[in-house]
Amino acid sequence: AQSVTQLDSQVPVFEEAPVELRCNYSSSVSVYLFWYVQYPNQGLQLLLKYLSGSTLVKGINGFEAEFNKSQTSFHLRKPSVHISDTAEYFCAVSSSGSARQLTFGSGTQLTVLP
Amino acid sequence: DVKVTQSSRYLVKRTGEKVFLECVQDMDHENMFWYRQDPGLGLRLIYFSYDVKMKEKGDIPEGYSVSREKKERFSLILESASTNQTSMYLCASSLLGGGMNTEAFFGQGTRLTVV
């Protein structure tokens, strides 16, 4: 069985500061990893994904994430956040390569303060 | 652009009513999903369909059923709505198979309140 743990439920940060949202997963097989963003009263939008290859993945809106197999982590980072980055962020893992097996974390609410 | 459209953004229903949530996708995706989203619990899979008339139970199917009569449309049915089904419901779709096809595309969500 696979699982995803997002270690922080709420992350407040000042505008233009860097941010890291943490995600750890457990799976006994190879994984595919995703970060989704949800703006208020919206559906989920894909930020970035790791399927194979380079462990540093760049996504939209200046976000990036690093896949660390030894630490079973996929932390999301942005060097300088904006007010508009305020949203909920979900980490997800698929271990079979099929969307049927997509398991989501509980989410991290990022609040960017002026 | 892939588009997944949910028929209602907000719904208010009474306890015991039969409720239909409709979802349509325009990208010819084989897979369609219904998730429920609750604070602190993330997204939980209710039902999944990989083909017309085919369905599989997800993690929390109790109290729900689904219908997929056409490839582009996937309906979630609450046979007798209860207050504990008050939640945000998200529909998603994806291509069949793994690898690059693993990405799921989401609708805007339906916030259902059962009173």
Side-chain angles (χ1 to χ4, degrees):
Chain A
Q2 62 197 27
S3 65
V4 179
T5 302
Q6 291 184 243
L7 297 160
D8 305 297
S9 59
Q10 308 257 358
V11 173
V13 63
F14 286 109
E15 194 173 18
E16 297 184 7
V19 71
E20 178 179 83
L21 306 184
R22 296 180 293 169
C23 173
N24 286 89
Y25 68 91
S26 67
S27 174
S28 58
V29 297
S30 297
V31 295
Y32 302 94
L33 294 156
F34 305 81
W35 276 99
Y36 284 85
V37 60
Q38 184 181 36
Y39 299 104
N41 296 313
Q42 301 285 326
L44 272 68
Q45 176 184 357
L46 184 71
L47 264 182
L48 48 80
K49 58 188 173 187
Y50 171 77
L51 302 180
S52 64
S54 172
T55 57
L56 183 63
V57 180
K58 293 191 183 297
I60 63 171
N61 301 339
F63 283 92
E64 63 180 32
E66 186 158 17
F67 171 55
N68 187 319
K69 188 174 182 179
S70 63
Q71 296 188 5
T72 61
S73 68
F74 191 55
H75 300 334
L76 181 70
R77 302 185 182 101
K78 187 170 182 177
S80 176
V81 294
H82 303 289
I83 297 285
S84 59
D85 292 323
T86 294
E88 189 152 25
Y89 293 78
F90 291 94
C91 181
V93 62
S94 169
S95 61
S96 69
S98 165
R100 165 63 179 93
Q101 301 298 330
L102 204 57
T103 299
F104 287 86
S106 56
T108 297
Q109 174 64 44
L110 173 65
T111 302
V112 182
L113 306 166
Chain B
D1 272 357
V2 174
K3 193 156 187 182
V4 179
T5 304
Q6 295 182 229
S7 55
S8 304
R9 293 294 303 274
Y10 301 93
L11 275 179
V12 180
K13 296 292 181 181
R14 296 196 180 278
T15 302
E17 275 193 78
K18 190 168 186 176
V19 181
F20 293 86
L21 303 184
E22 306 286 348
C23 175
V24 177
Q25 51 95 4
D26 65 359
M27 286 302 293
D28 203 34
H29 284 172
E30 293 86 0
N31 292 337
M32 295 190 75
F33 311 84
W34 276 106
Y35 291 91
R36 172 176 170 158
Q37 182 183 7
D38 299 290
L41 297 178
L43 276 71
R44 294 178 291 168
L45 183 64
I46 304 172
Y47 266 99
F48 156 69
S49 169
Y50 55 89
D51 200 353
V52 173
K53 297 190 185 297
M54 304 305 289
K55 61 186 179 185
E56 282 190 18
K57 292 181 180 179
D59 301 319
I60 52 165
E62 296 79 18
Y64 303 95
S65 62
V66 290
S67 172
R68 194 164 180 202
E69 297 296 319
K70 294 185 178 181
K71 188 176 184 180
E72 67 270 20
R73 187 179 297 272
F74 192 36
S75 303
L76 180 69
I77 303 157
L78 286 67
E79 295 288 342
S80 177
S82 64
T83 55
N84 63 13
Q85 293 179 308
T86 292
S87 187
M88 170 74 102
Y89 291 87
L90 291 164
C91 176
S93 72
S94 74
L95 291 167
L96 196 64
M100 296 293 289
N101 296 336
T102 306
E103 178 183 350
F105 296 84
F106 284 83
Q108 294 290 83
T110 297
R111 188 167 294 280
L112 173 67
T113 302
V114 182
V115 298

